[in-house]
């Protein structure tokens, strides 16, 4: 019924995370679509593609989990935090996955082997969107309230934007 998230691979394949059926669809550059992954959860709220390997990461809700999906559609649970929602994902050049969550607004840093740790606490309700600036620093957009932070490699955040809006949805 809904497309909650999208990601594009280096080869031009577009991935669509859906709800309330919890599927990830892959659409090739030729326009051919297929189901890549069918989650047990209701919604695929965030997607990211590792630029080096093409591995797809899919975050689900409720009771958020992150799945690691290979090109053949084989999946494994990659990271399973206590957080109910995972709203955003980003993968850096080293294959480290970052996950923005809610209801506590925590951003996790997850090593390629699936071991994660709290990286940054936004002090907002939700970590809604993630991206990297040209220097490779993580940018975090939040909801409740709508702010944008730049986070250094050590996990120290700097407030870049404090809006009057409830949410900054995209970076």
């Amino acid at each position: 019924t809904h497309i909650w998230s999208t990601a594009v691979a280096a080869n031009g394949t577009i991935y669509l995370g859906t709800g309330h059926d919890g599927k990830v669809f892959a659409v090739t550059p030729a326009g051919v679509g297929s189901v890549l992954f069918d989650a047990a959860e209701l919604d695929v709220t965030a997607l990211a593609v590792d630029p080096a390997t093409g591995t797809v990461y899919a975050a689900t809700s409720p009771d958020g989990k992150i799945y690691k999906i290979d090109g053949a559609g084989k999946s494994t649970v990659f990271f399973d935090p206590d957080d109910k929602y995972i709203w955003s994902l980003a993968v850096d050049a080293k294959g480290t996955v970052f996950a923005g969550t809610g209801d506590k607004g925590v951003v996790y840093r997850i090593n390629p082997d699936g071991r994660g740790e709290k990286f940054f606490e936004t002090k907002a309700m939700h970590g809604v969107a993630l991206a990297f600036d040209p220097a490779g620093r993580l940018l975090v957009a939040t909801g409740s309230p709508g702010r944008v932070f730049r986070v250094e490699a050590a996990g120290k955040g700097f407030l870049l934007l404090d809006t009057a809006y409830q949410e900054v949805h995209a970076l």
Side-chain angles (χ1 to χ4, degrees):
T1 322
H2 305 284
I3 297 174
W4 290 118
S5 54
T6 62
V8 180
N11 68 3
T13 299
I14 299 170
Y15 296 99
L16 307 169
T18 66
H20 299 301
D21 57 356
K23 291 182 178 147
V24 174
F25 291 88
V27 182
T28 69
V32 177
S34 62
V35 174
L36 178 69
F37 172 66
D38 190 354
E41 295 80 22
L42 293 176
D43 298 310
V44 177
T45 53
L47 291 169
V49 180
D50 184 323
T53 65
T55 299
V56 177
Y57 294 92
T60 61
S61 174
D63 302 323
K65 291 180 183 156
I66 299 173
Y67 292 89
K68 184 176 185 177
I69 310 164
D70 69 15
K74 182 179 179 224
S75 66
T76 57
V77 174
F78 177 67
F79 185 64
D80 187 4
D82 291 333
D83 302 77
K84 189 167 182 77
Y85 305 104
I86 300 172
W87 295 122
S88 53
L89 293 173
V91 183
D92 72 9
K94 297 176 184 174
T96 302
V97 177
F98 293 86
T101 67
D103 291 322
K104 298 174 187 164
V106 172
V107 177
Y108 290 92
R109 178 175 50 200
I110 309 147
N111 295 331
D113 64 3
R115 287 183 294 131
E117 63 185 356
K118 287 183 181 180
F119 176 63
F120 179 66
E121 295 188 41
T122 67
K123 298 194 178 14
M125 187 172 270
H126 303 287
V128 179
L130 301 174
F132 296 101
D133 73 6
R137 295 172 296 203
L138 186 67
L139 301 174
V140 180
T142 68
S144 296
R147 294 181 176 145
V148 177
F149 294 91
R150 180 183 65 223
V151 185
E152 304 296 330
K156 183 176 181 183
F158 177 79
L159 181 63
L160 294 175
L161 178 65
D162 187 2
T163 73
Y165 298 104
Q166 281 299 305
E167 181 174 282
V168 176
H169 192 73
L171 294 166

